Amino acid sequence: MNYLTLRYFLEIAHCLNFSQAAQQLHISQPGLSQQITALEKYLGIKLLYRSTRKVTLTEEGEYLYRNLLPSFENIDKTVRELIEAGSVPQMTIRIATVPSAASHLVPFLIKQLKKRHELIEFYVKETTSVHAIELVQKSEYHLAFIRTPIDIKQSLLKPLQWLEFSKQPLQLAVFEQHPAALQDEADLRDFKNETFLHYDPKHSPALYYLLEHACLTAGFIPKTIGAGPEILTTANLISNGIGITLMPRDMIELLQSYRIKGIALKNLPLFSSISVVWNNMNTPVLTMDALDILKQFQQSTE
């Protein structure tokens, strides 16, 4: 018994017609019949009921067909991917991401990828935008989900490419027991005497710039204390009444368990977004599939 003999059986079981199966397999009908007879003799069981009118599977034949088919489909898929890629196909995807994307976009992407590639493995590193870009630039990671820089065209040089997702409005983030938490809209000028939790200009330049720009537009320089790049550190400080800050709405939505309220900014339309970044030099097939999924998602949310 060999691979071809089993392949012949699967085609017969699928077609239930020797003439049609022989044509699909590019083998003579007598030769196909001999192969099936040899398989039945080797196994010591009857696989097919054959008559002049039709072919049907025995119970044993149905069992063999049902259990062999997934294995052969995987073999065919593996060979096809190897031929298409011209090398060992990429089966692992490495994703560097900021926390806000890690909670929404990354799970969505991995779920969709697994529908296309059941055997994929993935590594997710939660980090800052700057570090995520560096990892993709060095080809250590395939994708980076970042907070979109204000000057993205100057920040990301070729061969790096990016895709921007929907923009989120900047909001005032306060603890739910803060006096302003009862408001649906706030004038930032009323908070000039508050202590702001700022962002690290090196690790989170987009958010650092947005907070600075918002406060200066409102006519004051924010009184700040450092909070570092971690979103949960900032959340803990806000929920302990140590300060307030400005955040995109999608970030605030992640912090509901910290009892943090997002308040719209009156007459101050500032926005932030997430972008995915990749290295366009020799992009692997799996990464291209990931980008295809993300482009479809972006178009559906526009």
Side-chain angles (χ1 to χ4, degrees):
M1 183 180 65
N2 56 37
Y3 170 86
L4 280 178
T5 304
L6 294 173
R7 184 70 183 84
Y8 293 158
F9 166 73
L10 287 176
E11 191 63 37
I12 284 286
H14 174 69
C15 297
L16 295 176
N17 184 299
F18 270 83
S19 177
Q20 185 179 342
Q23 186 176 5
Q24 292 290 336
L25 295 166
H26 305 289
I27 186 175
S28 69
Q29 188 171 330
L32 179 58
S33 182
Q34 289 174 7
Q35 289 287 337
I36 298 303
T37 299
L39 177 59
E40 290 178 323
K41 184 176 180 180
Y42 176 83
L43 296 174
I45 55 176
K46 192 169 185 63
L47 299 172
L48 302 168
Y49 293 121
R50 286 172 268 190
S51 70
T52 55
R53 291 188 176 183
K54 63 179 181 179
V55 176
T56 57
L57 291 169
T58 65
E59 185 177 348
E60 292 79 11
E62 288 180 354
Y63 173 83
L64 186 63
Y65 176 66
R66 187 170 61 251
N67 286 276
L68 279 182
L69 185 61
S71 298
F72 272 76
E73 287 179 339
N74 187 54
I75 291 171
D76 291 341
K77 180 175 178 291
T78 300
V79 172
R80 186 172 62 253
E81 287 180 345
L82 187 61
I83 292 172
E84 290 175 355
S87 60
V88 177
Q90 177 195 1
M91 294 307 295
T92 301
I93 189 163
R94 295 178 176 272
I95 301 171
T97 177
V98 293
S100 45
S103 299
H104 175 53
L105 279 169
V106 173
F108 165 80
L109 174 60
I110 292 173
K111 185 177 181 179
Q112 296 302 313
L113 276 175
K114 284 183 70 65
K115 291 179 180 179
R116 300 189 184 189
H117 307 275
E118 293 181 2
L119 300 179
I120 69 162
E121 295 181 358
F122 56 89
Y123 292 89
V124 178
K125 182 180 184 65
E126 197 168 303
T127 185
T128 63
S129 294
V130 172
H131 188 214
I133 293 171
E134 289 175 354
L135 292 171
V136 169
Q137 201 162 28
K138 295 175 182 177
S139 296
E140 294 178 14
Y141 277 68
H142 301 105
L143 297 174
F145 287 93
I146 65 167
R147 186 60 57 180
T148 309
I150 304 299
D151 56 344
I152 190 168
K153 291 183 179 180
Q154 286 73 40
S155 300
L156 301 180
L157 303 177
K158 292 183 178 180
L160 295 184
Q161 298 288 324
W162 73 90
L163 175 70
E164 185 178 5
F165 299 101
S166 59
K167 295 180 182 294
Q168 298 287 321
L170 199 66
Q171 295 186 333
L172 187 70
V174 302
F175 184 45
E176 65 176 21
Q177 294 183 1
H178 189 286
L182 298 176
Q183 303 174 218
D184 293 324
E185 191 177 54
D187 188 331
L188 192 58
R189 291 175 297 182
D190 296 337
F191 297 86
K192 63 182 180 180
N193 295 321
E194 295 269 1
T195 298
F196 281 79
L197 303 172
H198 214 335
Y199 298 95
D200 188 314
K202 180 179 179 181
H203 296 291
S204 304
L207 295 178
Y208 177 88
Y209 170 82
L210 281 172
L211 192 149
E212 287 281 312
H213 178 71
C215 292
L216 289 175
T217 301
F220 67 92
I221 297 174
K223 182 175 64 175
T224 64
I225 55 175
E230 296 292 335
I231 184 175
L232 296 186
T233 300
T234 302
N236 276 309
L237 290 170
I238 294 173
S239 63
N240 278 279
I242 295 174
I244 64 174
T245 194
L246 298 178
M247 282 187 181
R249 183 173 60 194
D250 59 326
M251 286 179 65
I252 294 176
E253 288 173 352
L254 299 177
L255 305 177
Q256 293 180 359
S257 62
Y258 288 84
R259 300 163 64 192
I260 290 174
K261 170 78 179 295
I263 306 171
L265 296 177
K266 187 177 182 180
N267 300 322
L268 197 57
L270 294 174
F271 298 87
S272 179
S273 66
I274 294 292
S275 289
V276 63
V277 178
W278 68 95
N279 193 321
N280 207 37
M281 187 72 69
N282 299 320
T283 311
V285 174
L286 188 57
T287 304
M288 293 300 293
D289 275 357
L291 293 170
D292 178 58
I293 291 168
L294 292 170
K295 287 173 183 176
Q296 291 181 35
F297 174 79
Q298 182 227 34
Q299 291 168 5
S300 70
T301 55
E302 284 183 344

